[in-house]
Amino acid sequence: MPDLIAPVLPADTFSRTAQPTVPAGDGLVLRPFRPADAPAVHAVFQDPVMHQWHARSAGSEAEVAGWIGQWRDAWAADREAQWAVAEEDTGQLVGRVALREVRFADGAAEVAYWTAPDARGRGVAVRATATLVRWALEETGFHRLELLHAVRNEASCRVAARTGFTLEGTKRSSGLHADGWHDMHLHARVRGD
């Protein structure tokens, strides 16, 4: 059956080029994860705040090295895009931003992020998310980006608001965390906002 609507983005939107490094300004850069990031990512996932809002834990640096390999493979397979947020001058990992649940035909994806404990309170998540949004909507051609977080995660709600995501509603009991089901806020940005 022929499609009536052309895909918003081609199916090989990621894989047709190498994953870019994207300057975020103010000394931050979004870059592909490297195997050498495994110890820093492992350390972040030992933080109790990460355990509160994320479904994964990291048992070892070797496990995290496997994640990094999967993240790099996901770009090449056009499934998702994961960037390390790093200090431009030292290369120190301070966070992560990602496009997940990518649907190229619809021009849509979900934005995700976390910040290393020692980098919190410095605007890292806001700067990195704003950079990712600009890259996705303006440079790459996505039409809609969604951002989900637990309603009780007020820090993520502030990041969403500060990066121009409109609160569209609450998805009741839709996020399973270690302490049970959470209502989730759904925010979105649309190209042209």
Side-chain angles (χ1 to χ4, degrees):
M1 175 180 313
D3 291 327
L4 295 174
I5 301 169
V8 175
L9 292 167
D12 65 348
T13 293
F14 292 159
S15 64
R16 66 183 172 199
T17 62
Q19 185 176 2
T21 295
V22 185
D26 294 326
L28 292 181
V29 65
L30 312 184
R31 62 161 171 78
F33 275 93
R34 303 171 183 155
D37 293 321
V41 174
H42 178 262
V44 168
F45 273 83
Q46 305 315 301
D47 177 49
V49 172
M50 291 295 286
H51 297 172
Q52 184 176 10
W53 304 122
H54 290 79
R56 286 181 110 171
S57 65
S60 68
E61 290 179 16
E63 179 182 6
V64 171
W67 298 354
I68 291 170
Q70 291 169 3
W71 295 340
R72 294 171 69 90
D73 292 346
W75 175 275
D78 291 294
R79 287 191 312 268
E80 64 183 25
Q82 304 267 350
W83 277 270
V85 182
E87 298 283 355
E88 195 167 22
D89 56 349
T90 66
Q92 178 185 349
L93 182 81
V94 293
R96 165 262 199 176
V97 290
L99 293 176
R100 307 181 317 175
E101 307 296 328
V102 175
R103 298 181 320 274
F104 291 123
D106 298 329
E110 178 186 340
V111 172
Y113 50 82
W114 50 254
T115 305
D118 59 350
R120 292 184 188 136
R122 297 181 4 213
V124 168
V126 169
R127 288 183 283 154
T129 300
T131 301
L132 177 60
V133 166
R134 184 176 55 254
W135 180 86
L137 294 177
E138 297 173 17
E139 295 179 29
T140 307
F142 279 89
H143 174 72
R144 177 181 169 87
L145 299 177
E146 295 182 348
L147 191 157
L148 288 162
H149 65 81
V151 170
R152 293 189 346 222
N153 188 343
E154 295 174 5
S156 276
C157 204
R158 287 190 301 271
V159 171
R162 289 179 182 158
T163 55
F165 281 81
T166 300
L167 178 61
E168 294 188 335
T170 301
K171 296 177 70 171
R172 296 178 307 120
S173 193
S174 69
L176 183 59
H177 291 65
D179 63 350
W181 290 98
H182 284 247
D183 291 350
M184 303 292 282
H185 272 165
L186 170 63
H187 300 259
R189 286 272 313 255
V190 176
R191 194 172 197 188
D193 280 351

